[in-house]
Amino acid sequence: VYRNNVIVSLTEYLAASFPTVAGLVGEEFFAAMAGVFIRHSPPVSPILAEYGGGFADFIAGFAPAASVPYLADSARLDNAQRVAYHAADAEPAGGDTLKRLETTAPFALRLVLHPSLAVVRSRWPVLSIWQANRGERSGALPEGGEDVLVLRPRLDVALYRLAPGAVAFIGSIRSGCVLGDAAEAAIADSDAFDLAETLALLIREGAMVDITTD
């Protein structure tokens, strides 16, 4: 009885943490899939908010879900929102800090990004799928993939569609590259990369918390 109660509780937690996945496959299929995952990967921490990090990778290898090829990436987007919600708070950079972008050479600048920030790159239109699942979008989905920025600078988690090259830029920044090197990596990833557009998005949405200089 105790084991069954634990499985039911964890299934309900996963359904609440991965609402897009649950909405795409339905309650019955989700419960069966979650039950297999829970038995395969039981919690290792008493903190429930830490559970489910491997659910997306599990879905990617779960044969019965193969008919929904974008399900794993949808789970990754759900998980990024879950992690962002529980991430540490940080105050976005203010005007004096942002002035360094104008007064310092790009190869001497390092951007410090918000702790909640994450990116999800997919060959499927995962942001549009997420919006449709929430009733915020109707009609046919766009063709091709979508890259998504996940961020919680204040109270609520927000999602933004990223332009080409932005994922490579943000990844380079997070790995410790200076601004100039990150821009070069982004251009190598996509010659359509727009540095000004990407910086404007990060500044406008509070994704930068500091700018340091070498």
Side-chain angles (χ1 to χ4, degrees), residues 177-195:
C177 290
V178 294
L179 177 59
D181 288 340
E184 289 183 352
I187 293 171
D189 181 73
S190 172
D191 56 12
F193 174 69
D194 189 323
L195 177 59

Side-chain angles (χ1 to χ4, degrees), residues 62-119:
F62 188 59
S67 60
V68 190
Y70 45 80
L71 194 64
D73 281 356
S74 294
R76 292 186 177 95
L77 185 56
D78 279 343
N79 187 63
Q81 295 174 75
R82 181 179 69 92
V83 173
Y85 181 80
H86 294 287
D89 294 328
E91 190 68 22
D96 290 341
T97 299
L98 295 174
K99 286 181 181 178
R100 295 171 191 164
L101 290 171
E102 301 175 355
T103 59
T104 309
F107 286 93
L109 288 174
R110 297 186 189 275
L111 310 183
V112 181
L113 301 176
H114 197 281
S116 70
L117 185 148
V119 292

